[in-house]
């Protein structure tokens, strides 16, 4: 039964690529080095605390939102800082405006935010997010990509039976399974270790 296997014809592969193009990064260097962001991929953003992880993601995610279809969305699972704070930073990024400017033109800002695709980004804010919560929401919306900030803090059934290192191995395996199951990019966020303090270029060994 040939339906058991991936269709290997070139025409079908090219048709799939053109039907759902990848998402382009705002930073041109990422488009050059990583390429377009496509489904079934898992990425991890990490750096020392208060060094711009959220700012980087807000910039890139709002750019991705401008490229997706009207019936699609990006879900940002937030278990770290206040969800309202992240939401306001999304407004600033989409509108390219300061806090004072947004407050001065609140009515127009709301409409412009929606016109530019800002409402396509949905923030799920809970300090105790579980992998099961993510899976359930994936079935409720047409999700184009997922952000999990922070990945390490997400819980899953039976996670208390693992050591810290083994738990993280299983957890990130589950993130990869979600990316493949729903054919979406998943970006997780984490901290860099103390050894990364004042280091410009981080390696995998700098992950906390």
């Amino acid at each position: 039964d040939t339906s058991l296997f991936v269709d290997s014809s070139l025409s079908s592969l090219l048709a799939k690529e053109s039907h759902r193009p990848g998402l382009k990064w705002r930073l041109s260097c990422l488009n050059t080095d990583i390429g377009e962001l496509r489904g079934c991929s898992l990425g991890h953003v990490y750096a020392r605390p208060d060094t711009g992880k959220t700012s980087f993601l807000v910039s890139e995610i709002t750019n991705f939102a401008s490229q997706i279809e009207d019936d699609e969305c990006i879900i940002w699972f937030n278990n770290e800082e206040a969800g309202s704070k992240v939401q306001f930073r999304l407004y600033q990024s989409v509108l390219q405006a300061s806090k004072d400017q947004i407050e001065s033109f609140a009515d127009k800002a709301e409409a412009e935010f929606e016109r530019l695709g800002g409402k396509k980004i949905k923030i799920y804010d809970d300090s105790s997010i579980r992998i099961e919560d993510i899976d359930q929401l994936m079935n409720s919306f047409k999700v184009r990509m997922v952000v999990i900030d922070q990945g390490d803090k997400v819980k899953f059934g039976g996670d208390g039976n693992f050591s810290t290192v083994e738990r993280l191995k299983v957890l990130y395996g589950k993130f990869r399974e979600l990316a493949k199951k729903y054919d979406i990019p998943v970006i997780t966020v984490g901290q860099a270790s103390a050894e990364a303090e004042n280091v410009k270029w981080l390696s995998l060994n700098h992950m906390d």
Side-chain angles (χ1 to χ4, degrees):
D1 185 354
T2 57
S3 64
L4 296 174
F5 307 105
V6 173
D7 189 340
S8 61
S9 69
L10 181 59
S11 59
S12 67
L13 295 175
L14 293 175
K16 183 177 181 181
E17 292 287 311
S18 62
H19 174 68
R20 197 185 193 193
L23 299 172
K24 292 181 173 61
W25 301 87
R26 188 186 300 275
L27 292 175
S28 58
C29 60
L30 294 180
N31 287 313
T32 300
D33 292 343
I34 299 176
E36 295 178 351
L37 197 58
R38 295 185 178 275
C40 301
S41 57
L42 173 64
H44 186 63
V45 175
Y46 62 102
R48 291 296 290 157
D50 301 319
T51 54
K53 295 186 295 294
T54 301
S55 297
F56 164 72
L57 280 169
V58 164
S59 175
E60 292 298 340
I61 298 309
T62 52
N63 184 58
F64 291 147
S66 69
Q67 302 171 51
I68 66 178
E69 300 296 331
D70 290 341
D71 61 341
E72 296 178 321
C73 69
I74 295 171
I75 300 184
W76 185 311
F77 291 92
N78 179 67
N79 57 21
E80 188 67 6
E81 58 184 314
S84 57
K85 182 179 178 181
V86 176
Q87 182 69 66
F88 196 81
R89 292 179 72 174
L90 291 174
Y91 270 88
Q92 290 179 296
S93 180
V94 170
L95 299 173
Q96 296 291 290
S98 67
K99 182 175 183 291
D100 290 341
Q101 289 173 321
I102 292 174
E103 289 176 343
S104 299
F105 303 97
D107 292 341
K108 292 181 179 179
E110 181 83 26
E112 185 68 0
F113 180 76
E114 184 168 2
R115 186 186 73 81
L116 294 173
K119 291 290 181 74
K120 296 175 185 177
I121 306 170
K122 302 182 183 299
I123 297 178
Y124 182 85
D125 189 41
D126 190 330
S127 60
S128 299
I129 296 172
R130 301 176 62 83
I131 201 79
E132 293 83 2
D133 299 330
I134 299 174
D135 199 13
Q136 182 177 4
L137 278 174
M138 295 296 296
N139 285 304
S140 303
F141 296 89
K142 189 175 181 181
V143 182
R144 184 64 188 274
M145 73 173 296
V146 160
V147 176
I148 305 172
D149 184 11
Q150 289 190 0
D152 291 6
K153 292 174 63 177
V154 173
K155 305 178 187 303
F156 60 90
D159 60 358
N161 299 322
F162 298 93
S163 67
T164 300
V165 174
E166 288 300 320
R167 177 187 171 278
L168 290 177
K169 286 183 179 179
V170 173
L171 176 60
Y172 278 83
K174 290 181 179 293
F175 291 151
R176 186 170 289 282
E177 289 170 6
L178 283 173
K180 183 171 179 60
K181 178 180 178 180
Y182 294 103
D183 190 20
I184 59 164
V186 173
I187 297 179
T188 59
V189 185
Q191 303 288 10
S193 63
E195 288 75 18
E197 195 70 40
N198 297 319
V199 175
K200 183 175 183 179
W201 304 109
L202 305 189
S203 68
L204 294 177
N205 293 330
H206 286 119
M207 280 194 284
D208 190 11

